[in-house]
Amino acid sequence: MDTDTDVFLRRLAHELRPRADESVEVMLRRMRGELPELWQCEDIAALAERETAGHVATFLDVLEHGPDATAAATAAAGPDGTAHGTEDGTAGRVPSEALEVGRRFARRGVPVTKLLRAFRLGHLSLLELIQAEAGRLTSDPELVNEATLRLLETAFAYVDRGSEEVVAAYQEERDRRLQRRLMLTNEANRRIGTTLDTARTAEELAEVGTDEFADLVVVDLLETVLRGNGTCRPADTPLLRRIARRSVLDDSAGPASAAGHTHTYPEGTDPARVLATGRPLLGHADSPDGHAGAAASGNGAHAPADPGLHSMLLVPLQARGCPLGLARFYRRRTAVPFDEDDLMLAQEIASTAAVYIDNARRYSQERLTALTLQRSLLPRRAVDHSAVETASRYLPSGSRSGVGGDWYDVVPLSGARVALVVGDVVGRGLHASATMGRLRTAVRAFADIDLMPDELLTHLDDVIIRLQREEELDGVETATCLYAIYDPVSRTCSLASAGHVPPAVVTPAAADGGSPAHRSVHFPDVPIGPPLGLGGLPFETCQLELPEGSLLALHTDGLIESRTRDVDAARDLLGAVLARAPESLEETCDRLLSALLPSRPSDDVALLVARTRALDPCHVSTLDLPCDPAAVAGARVHASERLAGWGLEEAAFATELMVSELVTNAVRYGRSPIQLRMILQDTLTLEVSDGSSTAPHLRRARNTDEGGRGLFLIAQLAERWGTRHTREGKVIWAEQCLPGTRDAGRGARGARGVGGLRGGRGAEG
């Protein structure tokens, strides 16, 4: 019976072979009907037809030639270098097309269960065809039964072996692609986003994309994104800028619009649809530049497309739900076209890059805003003051942490004095810049009431503590500040520090021909108090006597702190540069920055350099007065004589009247010692000091009042007036323009009259 069955099976194979194509069509028709989704891909559909024909031919060979032929086939190596078949020689060699179908299913991400179902369904159809043919060839039920059993045995062995090989090919391809995808994704995470620069991040995307993935990558960003106008939904024909283009081919290949040029994608083209919908596209690159249209910058149409580019991926760049631009990937040198798995990989890379691009854009926007705010709050030009000559610099940091809160200021004070301020708010960004603006305003307000440096820092400390409470900050907000007051009359500098580095002091060279190299540079031993914002700790004022022409270099710690240099070495270098400082303060600032900061600083830097001046003793006149009403007449005579000596007789009437009122108030409501001081510079300043801490205030006298009009007269005659407190008492001062500038001063006073009135504080008797 075995011999009869073998003969019958060979007869079946012989009868079916001429109709193999018909059998293949029947099998494919059934599989298309039950698994239509597998035939949506053209490459798989074409390969599946050859695979089915191979399975039919292999199975008929098994039936026709028997185990001996199968064993010979088993010894034959397949396309992958391995032998196919089973040990008993009953299962034929699986066609190479079947293994390739398994690999393509893996590339498409089709589940392996659908692959196995298609494999079993095809062989079931083949068995049904063979069984139907067996019933047509013989009516012997026993022979048909034996043939059927033999067919089932052979088919099961073939399907089992074939399934193992196809699944192995599927798994191998899937693992290989997953490993490749993981490696490229890791490379993208490692190499993209190394800087907070939008253009550089786009270039990194192009570099990663052309590393064994695409032959050409082009990155375009929306112009609105680059201009900082937000990331709203793009218009129908948005304007884009070519940010990056990288190719492993000749420069002539692919989109020819150069980096930096602007262009648009006409409505209805694939790139325009991808931008509008946010959905990626896998397609052919028959005419990649045909989508781009004419360049908006006037460069004309793009160059003709490279005919060698055969596959294209269009991937939108989106971050946080907002469109940023478009990345295009092309292949020419690589023969295998992009597939769905490549599209997913490109989406992952583009998504990573989009987040970093958006971070860079946001950082650039915030940095620009903070820097603009910072510069708007700093002095815009050097202050022209008779007490000092100044020059200053502000350098924002080059790090990712953003703009800090460094600041400097020069504040004119009464009595020809000037305040020099430098400070640093701990923190970065807009909040630090805004806090810096608040502190600078507070310093000017406290300077307006002529507080001593330690008292001013105490009030500034309270300001920061109140800000912490009002804003309910999580951490402690702190700042450092150095406040110095220079008096050109006494040539003394009073300064106090709240956690800030002391200034460098440069005394001028000796008058006997000393060279700049002999200038003395030292860092005064200033008592450094705690940073502002801690509260409850005292500050201390120290005084220095400075020769005329001395240099004061106030700076923040960013000038001398560095990761590559010791602070003491930086301070020595600072002193060496100042010892040989040129006459120009602007050039001195440039030399300091060049020597101490050869590269972009890692922290913000504020630098203020001041050269002191001394007031000519002939321009200062003092008179000690007794606490006696009769002293008023002597004070008026002294003022008149002093004005005559200065050639300012035209100012005698107003000056004598103000002296009379100021001395009268001091005698009547103050106490000894009383002193009149007159200072001549670009203005004429009158000062009357006494030992009382009670300050006057401006009030409106009634018609029946006999007094109370003195300060009102002073406010009308003076350009500015006010009160400052000292350790010994108080000083009431009044400034008036010199006769040569009186008209200009009167106009200025008209504009600042309210400010002059606001200067008066206290009580007038």
Side-chain angles (χ1 to χ4, degrees):
M1 180 61 70
D2 290 342
T3 302
D4 293 341
T5 302
D6 293 338
V7 172
F8 183 70
L9 291 176
R10 285 195 292 270
R11 183 184 174 190
L12 273 176
H14 183 73
E15 291 292 332
L16 286 173
R17 195 175 296 280
R19 290 180 287 135
D21 292 342
E22 181 181 345
S23 301
V24 170
E25 184 59 34
V26 172
M27 295 166 62
L28 290 175
R29 189 182 305 117
R30 181 174 180 180
M31 286 189 290
R32 288 193 191 101
E34 297 195 24
L35 298 170
E37 65 274 13
L38 301 183
W39 266 257
Q40 294 178 356
C41 303
E42 296 180 1
D43 57 335
I44 291 182
L47 187 61
E49 185 174 348
R50 298 197 302 272
E51 177 206 13
T52 304
H55 282 304
V56 171
T58 301
F59 200 78
L60 292 179
D61 286 342
V62 173
L63 296 180
E64 185 174 1
H65 301 292
D68 294 338
T70 304
T74 302
D80 57 355
T82 60
H84 301 280
T86 59
E87 294 179 356
D88 59 4
T90 58
R93 170 180 161 186
V94 176
S96 60
E97 291 84 357
L99 303 180
E100 182 60 26
V101 167
R103 297 187 185 99
R104 295 196 181 185
F105 273 46
R107 294 171 194 165
R108 300 287 184 179
V110 180
V112 70
T113 53
K114 289 190 176 182
L115 173 64
L116 292 176
R117 183 183 176 191
F119 196 77
R120 291 193 298 268
L121 186 61
H123 288 85
L124 177 61
S125 301
L126 179 59
L127 284 176
E128 291 176 348
L129 290 174
I130 295 176
Q131 190 176 16
E133 183 65 18
R136 189 182 65 82
L137 292 179
T138 182
S139 59
D140 184 353
E142 187 176 354
L143 181 60
V144 171
N145 184 55
E146 288 294 331
T148 301
L149 291 176
R150 182 73 64 82
L151 281 172
L152 290 176
E153 180 184 358
T154 304
F156 285 158
Y158 182 81
V159 170
D160 287 345
R161 179 62 179 177
S163 298
E164 290 178 3
E165 295 185 2
V166 170
V167 169
Y170 178 96
Q171 187 70 33
E172 181 183 359
E173 180 67 17
R174 190 185 68 172
D175 292 345
R176 185 183 67 83
R177 294 181 68 83
L178 287 177
Q179 184 179 13
R180 171 172 170 265
R181 180 174 177 177
L182 180 61
M183 291 177 59
L184 195 56
T185 303
N186 288 339
E187 279 293 294
N189 290 328
R190 184 179 66 86
R191 294 167 54 185
I192 298 177
T194 59
T195 67
L196 283 172
D197 181 81
T198 304
R200 179 57 192 151
T201 305
E203 292 172 358
E204 291 169 343
L205 167 60
E207 291 171 0
V208 172
T210 53
D211 190 2
E212 298 183 0
F213 179 71
D215 298 326
L216 171 66
V217 177
V218 178
V219 182
D220 299 329
L221 295 183
L222 294 171
E223 187 70 9
T224 54
V225 171
L226 297 174
R227 289 201 305 262
N229 295 340
T231 55
C232 56
R233 183 62 55 184
D236 293 338
T237 55
L239 184 63
L240 297 101
R241 183 175 295 276
R242 177 68 42 80
I243 298 299
R245 177 187 181 278
R246 183 174 177 84
S247 172
V248 297
L249 311 170
D250 296 335
D251 291 338
S252 59
S257 179
H261 292 165
T262 56
H263 62 277
T264 59
Y265 292 121
E267 188 176 0
T269 59
D270 289 340
R273 282 193 293 269
V274 170
L275 274 174
T277 62
R279 291 192 292 269
L281 177 66
L282 166 63
H284 298 287
D286 297 331
S287 180
D289 277 329
H291 301 302
S297 58
N299 296 327
H302 288 278
D306 179 12
L309 296 173
H310 60 83
S311 188
M312 172 183 66
L313 296 176
L314 300 179
V315 183
L317 295 173
Q318 292 182 323
R320 302 172 177 91
C322 296
L324 303 175
L326 180 69
R328 294 187 284 166
F329 302 83
Y330 296 95
R331 276 184 180 172
R332 185 186 75 170
R333 183 184 62 178
T334 306
V336 179
F338 289 119
D339 54 28
E340 294 294 336
D341 193 63
D342 291 326
L343 182 60
M344 293 179 61
L345 180 56
Q347 283 183 270
E348 289 187 23
I349 298 174
S351 177
T352 299
V355 171
Y356 286 118
I357 289 174
D358 191 51
N359 289 343
R361 178 191 65 83
R362 289 168 178 258
Y363 167 78
S364 299
Q365 274 189 326
E366 181 175 341
R367 176 179 171 81
L368 179 61
T369 302
L371 190 57
T372 303
L373 176 62
Q374 180 90 335
R375 293 192 183 281
S376 68
L377 295 174
L378 293 174
R380 298 191 178 184
R381 57 181 178 273
V383 177
D384 183 16
H385 197 276
S386 59
V388 292
E389 176 190 359
T390 64
S392 57
R393 294 290 186 273
Y394 170 74
L395 263 65
S397 69
S399 65
R400 300 185 179 191
S401 50
V403 177
D406 294 24
W407 93 93
Y408 61 88
D409 206 351
V410 180
V411 186
L413 302 177
S414 63
R417 299 167 306 133
V418 64
L420 306 174
V421 193
V422 65
D424 183 4
V425 176
V426 176
R428 300 285 177 182
L430 284 173
H431 182 75
S433 297
T435 302
M436 179 275 290
R438 291 175 172 178
L439 294 184
R440 179 171 179 252
T441 302
V443 168
R444 280 187 162 262
F446 294 142
D448 187 54
I449 58 177
D450 271 319
L451 294 177
M452 293 292 291
D454 57 334
E455 295 176 357
L456 184 141
L457 293 181
T458 300
H459 285 282
L460 204 59
D461 188 41
D462 294 336
V463 170
I464 293 188
I465 293 175
R466 284 196 299 270
L467 289 177
Q468 293 174 1
R469 294 171 180 170
E470 293 171 0
E471 299 179 4
E472 298 181 354
L473 298 176
D474 295 334
V476 177
E477 184 175 51
T478 61
T480 64
C481 182
L482 179 69
Y483 186 80
I485 298 177
Y486 175 68
D487 187 346
V489 177
S490 61
R491 293 184 289 104
T492 59
C493 180
S494 305
L495 65 162
S497 170
H500 204 88
V501 293
V505 179
V506 185
T507 56
D512 55 351
S515 66
H518 293 92
R519 292 173 179 167
S520 173
V521 181
H522 69 283
F523 297 88
D525 188 14
V526 179
I528 299 179
L532 301 171
L534 300 183
L537 298 174
F539 303 99
E540 185 177 347
T541 297
C542 71
Q543 285 192 341
L544 308 173
E545 185 173 345
L546 302 177
E548 183 179 3
S550 297
L551 287 183
L552 284 170
L554 290 74
H555 58 87
T556 55
D557 54 9
L559 184 67
I560 58 175
E561 289 186 354
S562 173
R563 297 177 181 175
T564 60
R565 183 178 52 205
D566 183 72
V567 173
D568 292 335
R571 184 172 291 184
D572 292 341
L573 180 58
L574 172 66
V577 175
L578 289 175
R580 295 169 174 79
E583 185 67 22
S584 170
L585 295 185
E586 297 291 338
E587 189 176 348
T588 299
C589 290
D590 292 338
R591 289 190 181 183
L592 285 172
L593 296 181
S594 177
L596 293 165
L597 302 172
S599 59
R600 198 169 185 182
S602 58
D603 192 9
D604 289 41
V605 175
L607 173 65
L608 176 63
V609 179
R611 178 181 286 116
T612 63
R613 295 167 177 164
L615 198 60
D616 189 341
C618 297
H619 288 185
V620 180
S621 175
T622 59
L623 177 65
D624 294 327
L625 300 170
C627 190
D628 185 349
V632 175
R636 295 182 62 170
V637 171
H638 175 82
S640 177
E641 293 176 350
R642 190 67 269 173
L643 290 177
W646 288 336
L648 299 176
E649 292 86 348
E650 297 181 24
F653 176 77
T655 301
E656 290 179 16
L657 182 56
M658 286 190 287
V659 167
S660 176
E661 295 297 335
L662 291 175
V663 173
T664 298
N665 263 351
V667 170
R668 182 174 298 178
Y669 304 108
R671 63 172 181 262
S672 297
I674 300 174
Q675 185 182 76
L676 168 66
R677 185 168 74 161
M678 301 175 64
I679 303 173
L680 175 63
Q681 42 177 352
D682 51 353
T683 61
L684 178 61
T685 303
L686 305 176
E687 294 182 348
V688 175
S689 61
D690 66 80
S692 172
S693 59
T694 303
H697 73 276
L698 187 67
R699 66 182 179 87
R700 186 174 297 279
R702 293 171 296 183
N703 293 335
T704 57
D705 291 343
E706 296 183 1
R709 298 179 178 84
L711 290 183
F712 181 79
L713 292 174
I714 292 174
Q716 298 302 308
L717 295 173
E719 180 71 13
R720 295 190 310 136
W721 75 279
T723 304
R724 70 174 182 267
H725 292 271
T726 64
R727 306 288 189 195
E728 297 79 18
K730 68 175 180 298
V731 177
I732 305 176
W733 56 270
E735 286 184 5
Q736 57 179 319
C737 294
L738 300 179
T741 59
R742 181 165 297 173
D743 293 338
R746 187 174 294 123
R749 191 185 68 171
R752 297 185 293 176
V754 176
L757 295 177
R758 189 170 57 246
R761 297 170 179 84
E764 178 185 10

